[in-house]
């Protein structure tokens, strides 16, 4: 793999870590696959939770050791008891706690001290009971900091692992084995789903009641079941998000390989009412949640039935490439119902090609619908119906097919189902069916389900399932499409510091709002074009500035306290001469004095009067209580809250995500050019959105930003007005909201010279690097590939998009790659010379690897990359790095030794292991 014999000493970068709040969190394997279980609070008293839990655990697989802990009995349900958890010899993987709430903190402390690896607190009486219960939770948190115990609950049912035959709940029976992990914050809903699943023969890989999520949250569970080979889809019933960053990070990583489907209870806009700006007033909490789900590739549904429908559909059928559905039906009414549901949920009817229409005309009745939905009429038999399905499935303008059979006419439901079996996978497009009726269609439904074609009792439900499939595709596409690298995306070197100085100066003065001039200067530092804006504190100064700018001009109120100038009549437009400027100045001053008070008047700004022959947009940010900073984009101007044409996204953005944000709005179609008007420069607008998101992420002391209007024309983008609010001077820095999507970790970038003097930047990889990684793989010899991957991999395999996205598109939370980036001095192009990578094995250990282009081997780069990986992994709170190296790969072994790894022989004689304690 490498031929790097450098003697260059390993440098230690001056990264400074904060002390850990708690030891690194262990994985959840001891929790869900325990070898030993202790039930604390076990009893043999009938009708108690303690008896039910112990009885269920004792009925689990015999290889699990079960202990009962209770101070009052010597024996429970035939097994000897222990007084305390510390009395159990040999250690315990899982403790199930069913004692009264007030005893739980001390029990958790004893579990931590005894080295218990995980616990489930089933007991109720905590946060849900008010202040006293919340105090008990705080006490439990304090004890958890002493060790690495992982805890589910409190106030939960427990969990079931049908694959392992383990029932760690007080519910009676295990469901059948399956491939769905169902995670729920509602225990009552969980028991109802259990009853329903037995009737419907639905199987689960796991059922988990999360309770209050005091420790183990959504992110931990998604990571665990994302890695679980028995789980093919993950379903969530969510009442609260908890740790937003952990949830989004896990979901973004796992959604690419397994569908994550969520139903979220509690839709509300109450959180938007107290906001001070347009942006804040337009961001409702549920809208933000939708934006978060889109960002991480999660599919949100609106009812429990759809939760399980979509798990089935996504496991059986390919995802559609677009929103266009073709409907084939033997009855007009059901086709109309399906169409209504399709359009209402965001899908579209496909337009059949001329070729398809002619083909259908050759065998259908002259009175068929001649359009989509394809109503073959009741006289069509099974042959004609399936022939219509065949033509529709092959139409190039269709992304999916819905077949509807009503028990009428000549199309026998069983025969049609039998002949549709080849279409379950053949076309590469999803096929769903609605066989309407009861006993008469039951056999056909069974045939379709067995073949892998999902069936629905009603056509509108089937159409809705298709649009959910398309929404899931759309969300994933936004996640993993390779974005373009924005030119000049990085602000000037001193921009961040200058903006921070302005913000801190405003806060130190006791203000929370920047005036218009300050706000425009601030956004301009991040490359957002602003209209020429100059401040005047007198009539004469206003006239002088107007003559310098050139008439006509605009005068606007300059105030450190008034957010909305139009509320106090603080704007005058189209001023043609000095006399009008003087009059406008006096009028604004008088209006502000009358409506707000003279102390709110700090002068005016003078700006050129521009022709508004483009589109007025709004671009802003505000802080959501759960997800931190949120970006808003849409139609702007004074009617912004009337039109309510806007979309939300979580920062940071790249060009792909910026485009997805714009696509969510109605104004986007106009921006592309309508009715003879030229389109605006959408790539320039994407770049502006990316830079704005960078401002939002890098300046946490900013609370809200409004750029309204942002004028967009084919020639330019220009911020005509801006408003910036900052956090109060009393704000604790530790309480500042943070982005729920981890920003690019630029702190892990450094400059370095190879032995021959070649300058490189070693930095974390980013999505925009995928083309560079493709080029990098073309520079590798077959031997380098074999030594790195332990086998021969073709270039086409190594550069597949699906493979590279796992390297380039990570969330930076479970490890990432460092690339050595060289800028070619001859043409300015960038190239990757080498890659070092660490990826999490569990919460404490990561696997390390390094690979250098053949031409650049032997110059110390491999050593520097691996040393950098070790430093970064240490900063990321991993405790050890490990690796596996082919025995004859002596050069790489030398690099690992130089960085401090200890090499050991493995059972496999062809390899050696490497381990570095961090």
């Amino acid at each position: 793999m490498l031929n790097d014999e450098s003697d260059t000493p390993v440098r230690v970068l001056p990264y400074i870590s904060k002390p850990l709040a708690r030891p690194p969190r262990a994985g959840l394997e001891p929790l869900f696959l325990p070898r030993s279980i202790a039930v604390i609070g076990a009893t043999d008293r009938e009708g108690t939770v303690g008896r039910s839990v112990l009885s269920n655990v004792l009925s689990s697989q015999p290889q699990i050791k079960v202990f009962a802990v209770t101070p009052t009995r010597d024996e429970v349900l035939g097994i000897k008891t222990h007084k305390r958890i510390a009395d159990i010899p040999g250690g315990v993987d899982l403790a199930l706690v069913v004692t009264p709430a007030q005893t739980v903190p001390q029990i958790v402390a004893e579990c931590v001290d005894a080295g218990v690896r995980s616990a489930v607190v089933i007991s109720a009486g905590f946060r849900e009971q008010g202040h006293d219960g919340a105090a008990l939770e705080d006490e439990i948190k304090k004890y958890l900091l002493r060790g690495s115990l992982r805890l589910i609950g409190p106030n939960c049912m427990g969990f079931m692992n049908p694959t392992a035959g383990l029932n760690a709940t007080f519910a009676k029976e295990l469901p059948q084995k399956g491939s769905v992990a169902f995670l729920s914050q509602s225990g009552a809903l969980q028991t109802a789903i259990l009853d329903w699943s037995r009737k419907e023969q639905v199987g689960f890989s796991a059922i988990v009641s999360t309770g209050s999520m005091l420790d183990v949250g959504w992110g931990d569970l998604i990571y665990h079941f994302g890695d679980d080979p028995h789980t093919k889809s993950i379903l969530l019933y969510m009442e609260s998000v908890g740790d937003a960053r952990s949830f989004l990070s896990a979901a973004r990583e796992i959604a690419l390989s397994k569908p994550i489907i969520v139903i979220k209870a509690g839709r509300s806009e109450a959180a938007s009412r107290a906001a001070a700006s347009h942006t804040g007033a337009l961001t409702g909490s549920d809208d933000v949640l939708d934006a978060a789900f889109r960002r991480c590739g999660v599919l949100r549904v609106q009812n429990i039935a759809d939760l399980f429908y979509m798990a089935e559909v996504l496991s059986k059928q390919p995802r559609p490439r677009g929103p266009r559905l073709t409907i084939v039906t033997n009855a007009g009414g059901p086709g109309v119902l399906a169409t209504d549901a399709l359009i209402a949920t965001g899908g579209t009817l496909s337009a059949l090609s001329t070729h398809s229409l002619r083909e259908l005309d050759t065998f259908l009745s002259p009175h068929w619908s001649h359009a989509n939905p394809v109503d073959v009429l009741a006289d069509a038999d099974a042959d004609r119906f399936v022939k219509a399905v065949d033509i529709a499935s092959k139409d190039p303008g269709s992304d999916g097919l819905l077949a509807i059979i009503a028990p009428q006419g000549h199309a026998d439901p069983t025969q049609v189902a039998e002949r549709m079996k080849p279409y379950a996978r053949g076309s590469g497009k999803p096929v769903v069916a609605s066989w309407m009726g009861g006993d008469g269609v039951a056999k056909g439904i069974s045939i379709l389900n067995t073949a892998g074609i999902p069936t629905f009792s009603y056509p509108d439900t089937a159409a809705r399932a298709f649009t959910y499939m398309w929404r899931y595709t759309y969300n994933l596409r936004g996640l993993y499409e390779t974005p373009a690298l924005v030119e000049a995306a990085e602000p000037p070197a001193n921009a961040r510091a200058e903006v921070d100085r302005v913000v801190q100066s405003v806060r130190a003065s006791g203000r929370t709002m920047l005036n218009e001039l300050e706000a425009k200067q601030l956004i301009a530092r991040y490359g957002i074009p602003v209209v020429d804006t100059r401040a005047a504190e007198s009539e004469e100064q206003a006239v002088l500035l107007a003559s310098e700018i050139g008439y006509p001009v605009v005068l606007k109120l300059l105030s450190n306290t008034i957010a909305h100038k139009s509320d106090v009549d603080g704007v005058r437009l189209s001023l043609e001469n000095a006399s009008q400027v003087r009059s406008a100045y006096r009028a604004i001053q008088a209006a502000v004095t009358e409506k707000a008070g003279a102390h709110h008047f700090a002068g005016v700004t003078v700006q050129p009067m521009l022709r508004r022959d483009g589109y007025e947009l709004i671009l802003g940010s505000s802080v959501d209580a759960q997800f931190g900073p949120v970006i808003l984009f849409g139609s702007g101007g004074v009617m912004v809250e009337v039109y309510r044409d806007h979309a939300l996204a979580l920062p940071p953005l790249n060009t792909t995500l910026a485009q997805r944000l714009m696509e969510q709005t109605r104004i986007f179609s106009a921006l592309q050019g309508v009715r003879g008007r030229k389109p605006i420069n959408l790539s320039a607008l994407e770049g502006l959105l990316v830079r704005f998101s960078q401002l939002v992420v890098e300046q946490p002391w900013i609370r809200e930003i409004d750029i309204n209007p942002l004028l967009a024309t084919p020639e330019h983008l220009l911020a005509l007005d801006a408003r910036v609010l900052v956090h109060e001077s009393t704000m604790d820095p530790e309480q500042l909201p943070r982005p729920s999507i981890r920003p690019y970790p630029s702190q892990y970038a450094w400059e370095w010279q190879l032995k021959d003097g070649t300058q490189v930047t070693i930095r974390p990889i980013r999505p925009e690097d995928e083309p560079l990684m493709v080029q990098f793989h073309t520079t590798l010899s077959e031997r380098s590939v074999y030594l790195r991957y332990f086998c021969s991999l073709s270039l086409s395999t190594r550069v597949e998009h699906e493979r590279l996205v796992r390297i380039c598109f990570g969330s930076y939370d479970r490890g990432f790659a460092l690339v050595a980036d060289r800028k070619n001095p001859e043409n300015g192009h960038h190239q990757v010379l080498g890659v070092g990578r660490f990826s999490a094995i569990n919460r404490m250990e990561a696997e390390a690897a390094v690979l250098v282009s053949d031409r650049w081997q032997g110059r110390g780069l491999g050593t520097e990359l691996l040393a950098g990986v070790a430093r970064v992994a240490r900063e990321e709170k991993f405790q050890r790095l490990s690796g596996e190296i082919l025995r004859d790969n002596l050069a790489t072994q030398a690099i690992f030794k130089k960085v401090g790894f200890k090499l050991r022989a493995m059972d496999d004689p062809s390899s050696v292991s490497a381990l570095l304690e961090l």
Side-chain angles (χ1 to χ4, degrees):
M1 174 174 62
L2 293 174
N3 180 20
D4 192 331
E5 306 295 341
S6 167
D7 292 324
T8 305
V10 177
R11 296 185 303 112
V12 178
L13 293 185
Y15 300 146
I16 300 175
S17 301
K18 293 182 180 179
L20 279 175
R22 62 168 295 176
R25 294 185 294 174
L28 302 185
E29 290 76 13
L31 198 160
F32 291 111
L33 293 170
R35 292 169 297 179
S36 55
I37 300 175
V39 180
I40 303 176
T43 178
D44 53 10
R45 187 156 44 90
E46 291 286 350
T48 61
V49 172
R51 179 189 174 99
S52 298
V53 171
L54 181 60
S55 176
N56 287 339
V57 171
L58 287 171
S59 301
S60 298
Q61 291 194 12
Q63 62 265 34
I64 300 177
K65 296 179 182 178
V66 180
F67 304 95
V69 178
T70 176
T72 59
R73 310 220 176 179
D74 296 327
E75 183 180 295
V76 173
L77 296 183
I79 64 172
K80 181 183 175 182
T81 65
H82 298 269
K83 303 296 183 185
R84 299 167 59 249
I85 189 74
D87 298 336
I88 298 175
V92 172
D93 282 342
L94 171 63
L96 302 176
V97 182
V98 291
T99 62
Q102 62 270 20
T103 67
V104 171
Q106 185 57 38
I107 287 173
V108 169
E110 292 175 5
C111 287
V112 171
D113 294 341
V116 176
R117 302 175 71 187
S118 61
V120 177
V121 177
I122 295 173
S123 315
F126 293 89
R127 190 190 323 166
E128 74 278 7
Q129 296 295 321
H131 179 269
D132 290 343
L136 291 174
E137 290 194 4
D138 290 339
E139 198 173 348
I140 294 173
K141 288 180 184 178
K142 179 183 70 175
Y143 291 127
L144 288 176
L145 294 177
R146 297 195 330 212
S148 58
L149 179 143
R150 304 308 310 276
L151 183 143
I152 284 182
N155 188 23
C156 69
M157 271 185 59
F159 70 89
M160 295 179 174
N161 185 345
T163 304
L166 174 58
N167 181 0
T169 76
F170 51 82
K172 292 182 180 178
E173 298 177 35
L174 273 173
Q176 69 184 47
K177 297 177 184 179
S179 60
V180 173
F182 179 52
L183 319 177
S184 173
Q185 280 186 293
S186 168
L189 177 65
Q190 194 166 331
T191 56
I193 293 296
L194 278 170
D195 285 343
W196 169 84
S197 70
R198 295 185 188 103
K199 176 185 175 184
E200 298 295 327
Q201 297 296 300
V202 174
F204 295 92
S205 59
I207 295 180
V208 182
S209 172
T210 64
S212 299
M213 297 196 302
L214 194 63
D215 174 42
V216 173
W218 295 120
D220 299 296
L221 294 168
I222 289 170
Y223 275 134
H224 176 82
F225 291 107
D227 293 337
D228 176 30
H230 303 290
T231 298
K232 293 183 179 178
S233 55
I234 301 171
L235 312 187
L236 278 64
Y237 172 80
M238 178 183 287
E239 293 177 352
S240 62
V241 174
D243 185 339
R245 180 174 285 190
S246 174
F247 166 69
L248 294 175
S249 175
R252 288 172 67 204
E253 182 175 332
I254 301 303
L256 183 63
S257 56
K258 297 181 182 182
I260 301 171
I261 309 166
V262 176
I263 182 167
K264 169 66 170 65
R267 305 180 72 99
S268 170
E269 294 188 0
S272 67
R273 293 174 185 163
S277 67
H278 289 306
T279 301
L282 292 170
T283 52
S285 59
D286 204 61
D287 293 333
V288 177
L289 192 66
D290 278 335
F293 288 153
R294 281 195 303 271
R295 178 63 186 270
C296 65
V298 164
L299 175 63
R300 184 182 191 181
V301 298
Q302 301 303 326
N303 56 63
I304 294 293
D306 284 344
L307 198 64
F308 289 91
Y309 285 151
M310 294 315 301
E312 177 191 12
V313 170
L314 290 170
S315 70
K316 289 182 175 180
Q317 288 292 305
R319 299 194 303 269
R321 295 185 178 92
R324 304 166 300 179
L325 179 66
T326 304
I327 301 170
V328 179
T329 177
N330 70 339
V336 173
L337 288 173
T339 300
D340 285 345
L342 177 74
I343 303 302
T345 53
T348 61
L349 282 175
S350 64
L352 293 171
S353 67
T354 302
H355 175 75
S356 295
L357 292 170
R358 288 174 180 166
E359 287 283 304
L360 291 167
D361 279 337
T362 62
F363 63 90
L364 290 179
S365 164
H367 304 294
W368 79 278
S369 59
H370 294 89
N372 184 17
V374 179
D375 183 359
V376 301
L377 303 180
D379 64 350
D381 59 13
D383 284 336
R384 277 190 280 172
F385 187 95
V386 176
K387 195 171 181 181
V389 165
D390 183 70
I391 292 169
S393 68
K394 294 176 180 176
D395 191 286
S398 175
D399 299 309
L401 178 82
L402 166 58
I404 304 173
I405 286 289
Q408 65 169 14
H410 299 285
D412 179 78
T414 303
Q415 292 182 17
V416 174
E418 191 67 40
R419 298 182 188 188
M420 279 192 62
K421 285 161 60 176
Y423 298 95
R425 290 284 180 181
S427 67
K429 303 174 184 178
V431 177
V432 294
S434 176
W435 260 225
M436 302 175 65
D439 293 340
V441 298
K443 189 172 180 181
I445 289 173
S446 177
I447 291 170
L448 291 171
N449 286 335
T450 301
I453 297 177
T455 61
F456 300 86
S457 299
Y458 304 104
D460 53 338
T461 308
R464 189 169 67 246
F466 172 80
T467 54
Y468 276 140
M469 293 178 79
W470 159 239
R471 195 176 302 168
Y472 180 60
T473 299
Y474 182 84
N475 290 352
L476 289 183
R477 191 178 292 172
L479 269 183
Y480 297 111
E481 280 186 359
T482 305
L485 186 61
V486 177
E487 292 298 326
E490 287 291 320
N494 59 347
R496 296 183 184 93
E498 288 182 4
V499 168
D500 186 63
R501 276 197 297 271
V502 170
V503 169
Q504 298 308 328
S505 174
V506 170
R507 295 181 63 248
S509 70
R511 288 194 283 144
T512 59
M513 188 184 80
L514 279 65
N515 63 44
E516 181 185 357
L517 189 62
E518 293 168 332
K520 286 181 175 177
Q521 291 171 343
L522 184 149
I523 63 174
R525 297 304 295 163
Y526 276 81
I528 298 172
V530 299
V531 66
D532 185 6
T533 304
R534 309 183 192 185
E537 297 180 359
S538 67
E539 287 182 38
E540 293 306 318
Q541 190 178 7
V543 170
L544 177 62
L545 293 176
S547 64
E548 292 176 356
I549 291 172
Y551 293 102
V553 296
V554 176
L555 259 61
K556 295 182 182 179
L557 166 67
L558 183 64
S559 174
N560 294 329
T561 53
I562 296 176
H564 301 289
K565 291 178 278 291
S566 56
D567 290 349
V568 293
D569 202 18
V571 179
R572 294 292 186 275
L573 306 174
S574 301
L575 307 177
E576 300 285 353
N577 52 53
S579 176
Q580 291 183 5
V581 169
R582 288 190 176 92
S583 297
Y585 186 98
R586 291 193 296 269
I588 291 174
Q589 185 175 27
V592 173
T593 300
E594 178 185 347
K595 296 182 178 182
H599 62 284
H600 292 285
F601 181 81
V604 299
T605 61
V606 185
Q607 307 169 33
M609 181 69 195
L610 300 177
R611 289 181 56 195
R612 298 196 179 187
D613 54 355
Y615 301 97
E616 291 188 341
L617 307 175
I618 182 172
L619 177 60
S621 74
S622 62
V623 175
D624 179 78
Q626 291 185 109
F627 292 99
V630 179
I631 291 174
L632 177 141
F633 170 85
S635 301
V638 294
M639 301 296 284
V640 61
E641 292 182 38
V642 176
Y643 294 139
R644 298 189 70 82
D645 172 29
H646 62 268
L648 305 176
L650 301 180
L653 301 179
N654 56 38
T655 54
T656 297
L657 295 170
Q659 181 181 345
R660 290 291 184 271
L661 173 60
M662 294 188 290
E663 288 173 353
Q664 303 292 322
T665 63
R666 295 188 297 275
I667 193 69
F668 180 69
S669 59
L671 298 178
Q672 298 175 85
V674 292
R675 297 185 178 179
R677 300 181 70 173
K678 292 181 180 180
I680 73 158
N681 187 338
L682 290 176
S683 62
L685 183 54
E686 289 172 7
L688 188 149
L689 291 175
V690 171
R691 291 191 293 274
F692 179 79
S693 79
Q694 193 174 2
L695 164 61
V696 171
V697 166
E698 292 181 352
Q699 301 295 337
W701 288 103
I702 294 178
R703 179 161 53 94
E704 294 184 10
I705 308 176
D706 272 349
I707 302 174
N708 181 33
L710 172 66
L711 182 63
T713 73
E715 293 76 30
H716 59 249
L717 302 167
L718 203 59
L720 302 186
D721 202 354
R723 180 166 46 255
V724 176
L725 304 179
V726 299
H727 291 286
E728 294 82 356
S729 58
T730 56
M731 182 75 169
D732 182 352
E734 294 295 324
Q735 299 302 314
L736 283 174
R738 66 172 187 169
S740 53
I741 302 289
R742 182 177 179 179
Y744 179 74
S746 57
Q747 71 271 26
Y748 296 141
W750 69 95
E751 302 296 321
W752 191 73
Q753 271 192 356
L754 278 67
K755 286 199 292 186
D756 62 3
T758 301
Q759 190 75 24
V760 295
T761 300
I762 299 179
R763 58 171 175 80
I765 202 166
R766 56 193 177 197
E768 292 87 348
D769 289 326
E770 186 179 349
L772 296 181
M773 289 299 297
V774 171
Q775 189 273 335
F776 168 71
H777 276 279
T778 66
T779 69
L780 301 175
S781 67
E782 290 185 9
R783 177 163 175 77
S784 288
V785 171
Y786 179 81
L787 292 176
R788 167 63 182 90
Y789 299 108
F790 291 38
C791 64
S792 296
L793 285 178
S794 68
L795 176 63
S796 59
T797 299
R798 300 199 312 272
V799 301
E800 286 177 347
H801 175 67
E802 290 74 15
R803 184 176 178 277
L804 289 180
V805 295
R806 299 183 183 279
I807 300 172
C808 301
F809 289 73
S811 63
Y812 303 113
D813 279 336
R814 290 218 296 180
F816 49 87
L818 297 173
V819 296
D821 180 358
R822 172 182 180 257
K823 186 175 182 179
N824 190 320
E826 296 177 2
N827 55 26
H829 295 165
H830 289 262
Q831 62 183 134
V832 170
L833 308 187
V835 182
R837 185 184 181 195
F838 68 104
S839 52
I841 297 173
N842 53 51
R843 290 293 185 182
M844 291 181 281
E845 182 176 348
E847 183 179 16
V850 66
L851 182 59
V852 173
S853 174
D854 285 59
R855 178 187 168 190
W856 299 96
Q857 292 177 12
R859 310 188 197 191
L861 181 56
T863 302
E864 180 68 11
L865 280 169
L866 186 60
V869 163
R871 291 191 297 268
V872 173
R874 185 179 297 112
E875 289 295 315
E876 292 293 304
K877 314 308 181 194
F878 287 95
Q879 291 186 339
R880 68 187 68 89
L881 282 177
S882 61
E884 185 177 348
I885 310 167
L886 285 174
R887 185 175 292 276
D888 60 353
N889 190 355
L890 300 180
T892 299
Q893 292 178 36
I895 291 171
F896 273 69
K897 284 182 180 178
K898 190 175 298 182
V899 174
F901 284 79
K902 296 185 182 302
L903 303 186
R904 291 185 176 86
M906 298 179 65
D907 293 338
D908 180 356
S910 67
S911 302
V912 297
S913 68
L915 184 67
L916 176 66
E917 295 292 341
L918 299 174

